[in-house]
Amino acid sequence: MPRRTADPWLTELTHRPLLVFESSALLDDMLRLAAAACTETDVVRDAPAALPHWKSAPLVVLDATAAELCAEARFPRREQVVVVTDRTDDSRAWDAAARLGADHVMPLPASQSWLVDRMAAISAGPSADGRVVSVVGGRGGAGATVLAAGLAVTALRAGLRPLLVDADPLGGGIDLALGGEETAGLRWPDLTGQPPGGRLNAPSLLKALPRVGELCVLSWDRSDVLEVDPAAVRAVLEAGRRGRDLVVVDLPRRPDEATTAAVQASDTVLLVVPAEVRGCAAAARMAKVVQPHCSDLRVVVRGPAPAGLRSRDLGRALGLPLAGVLRPEPGLAAALERGEPPAGRGAGPLAEVCRSLLSTLDMLPMEVAA
């Protein structure tokens, strides 16, 4: 993990722990622990120069000498301050911690696991507050992938920070729908082998993912890997909540454990149903798979309706609320073949229904959706 040296004049907020060390040996130990936590840090070697960062850093770790100097300089008291020592019985460290108002005194190497966990939790970002919206087709070819990509593109155009997740290994890759299949970055096969119950560092994950324009995307490569561990799905979506305003998931229609994990992590699932009798029948079966795992399941009806089946009647037949109606859009299929992102121009029926859906989901104000 590269060492970051803090600029003493920098006062902007960061999510990186601040290390204030006079001891080179202890600093090297802390940088090794930060690497184990997959955490970038800001490093200050001159204790008084830490003052501009003192309030903004989410965690401050010092050695005893640095703690003494900060206390002598009358640094204001704050939470999340840890003094580190290489001695099990270090009265000097305890005295410095008391004067500074530190929360903990941690001897190394006995406390290294605690320090790694604390830095990993801090650098993972704030508590989860983003929304997860999944999209699934009522039958094959319903248009769920196009709607999912359109939602993410529309959210980006509206100033939100979306993450688009392709959870369908048999779908051909949602990056193709965006014209970004050649973009370098992390794919699902790279995330296999995540420890059960593991927690991903949100900034690190988002930095490693491909970007199509400004849109962050997690998709599949062209290898033979066709499955992903449910624990990896949960970890990705949790990290997406912490690091993005909106996570849009393109779900597969197969009811395996990874799909169930994605549905359970979703705030809302949109079921895309063609306005036809067969589509309604297939969607009813899919609804039975999804409903036990997500309480907010809504229908998006896709026209045209060959037999005149009305959208509200279809929603009533399924017993689900109608979230939106996607009218036919001439030229959409050809635009997708050319690699143009869905709803990329911000005009047309797809863009309109995406803005309406984001408004209904409280992601956009009504005046933006209009």
Side-chain angles (χ1 to χ4, degrees):
M1 184 65 60
R3 178 181 304 185
R4 301 180 63 98
T5 302
D7 179 351
W9 303 106
L10 181 65
T11 58
E12 62 183 355
L13 293 174
T14 75
H15 289 295
R16 297 184 294 267
L18 174 64
L19 306 184
V20 189
F21 278 77
E22 299 285 334
S23 167
S24 297
L26 276 176
L27 175 59
D28 288 342
D29 287 339
M30 282 304 306
L31 290 171
R32 176 178 54 81
L33 296 180
C38 298
T39 303
E40 288 188 346
T41 59
D42 287 325
V43 177
V44 173
R45 297 300 308 273
D46 180 16
L51 184 57
H53 311 272
W54 187 255
K55 291 183 179 180
S56 62
L59 173 69
V60 180
V61 185
L62 316 88
D63 62 14
T65 301
E68 287 177 338
L69 292 172
C70 290
E72 290 172 3
R74 298 184 179 276
F75 275 34
R77 297 208 170 200
R78 52 154 292 168
E79 297 179 347
Q80 300 287 356
V81 176
V82 178
V83 177
V84 171
T85 176
D86 55 1
R87 296 168 51 189
T88 55
D89 185 13
D90 190 347
S91 59
R92 181 188 174 206
W94 281 100
D95 290 343
R99 291 176 59 196
L100 190 60
D103 302 300
H104 303 280
V105 175
M106 289 293 158
L108 291 177
S111 300
Q112 62 183 11
S113 294
W114 185 93
L115 286 163
V116 168
D117 290 343
R118 177 59 63 93
M119 285 192 290
I122 288 291
S123 66
S127 60
D129 58 2
R131 295 285 298 275
V132 179
V133 177
S134 291
V135 185
V136 65
R139 68 160 172 80
T145 296
V146 173
L147 180 60
L151 277 173
V153 170
T154 301
L156 185 67
R157 288 178 59 89
L160 298 174
R161 301 173 304 150
L163 166 63
L164 179 59
V165 177
D166 180 3
D168 186 358
L170 302 178
I174 206 167
D175 49 358
L176 276 168
L178 298 165
E181 65 273 14
E182 300 297 330
T183 306
L186 203 69
R187 260 75 176 183
W188 273 119
D190 301 312
L191 291 169
T192 58
Q194 286 294 318
R199 182 181 175 93
L200 291 174
N201 180 288
S204 298
L205 172 67
L206 294 168
K207 184 178 180 180
L209 292 178
R211 289 179 183 268
V212 182
E214 293 300 317
L215 179 59
C216 203
V217 181
L218 175 57
S219 188
W220 299 82
D221 59 15
R222 305 307 182 254
S223 70
D224 295 332
V225 178
L226 298 177
E227 294 184 357
V228 63
D229 191 324
V233 172
R234 285 188 287 267
V236 164
L237 298 187
E238 181 196 5
R241 279 188 186 275
R242 296 194 306 271
R244 283 293 183 263
D245 303 311
L246 174 67
V247 182
V248 183
V249 186
D250 181 24
L251 291 174
R253 297 188 69 254
R254 62 179 189 179
D256 58 11
E257 292 184 6
T259 303
T260 299
V263 172
Q264 289 173 340
S266 301
D267 298 297
T268 300
V269 176
L270 300 175
L271 181 63
V272 184
V273 185
E276 59 187 35
V277 174
R278 177 172 170 265
C280 182
R285 297 176 66 86
M286 179 56 66
K288 291 181 180 179
V289 173
V290 174
Q291 275 188 310
H293 305 289
C294 181
S295 59
D296 188 12
L297 176 61
R298 311 183 192 185
V299 174
V300 176
V301 176
R302 197 199 80 195
L309 183 61
R310 294 188 303 177
S311 301
R312 294 191 182 280
D313 292 338
L314 193 150
R316 280 195 291 266
L318 293 172
L320 296 171
L322 179 64
V325 179
L326 178 56
R327 296 179 288 109
E329 184 167 341
L332 177 59
L336 294 175
E337 285 295 312
R338 293 192 298 268
E340 298 178 15
R345 294 182 294 108
L350 177 60
E352 290 173 6
V353 77
C354 287
R355 285 194 294 269
S356 175
L357 288 169
L358 291 173
S359 176
T360 302
L361 295 167
D362 297 325
M363 298 301 299
L364 291 181
M366 291 298 296
E367 57 267 22
V368 175

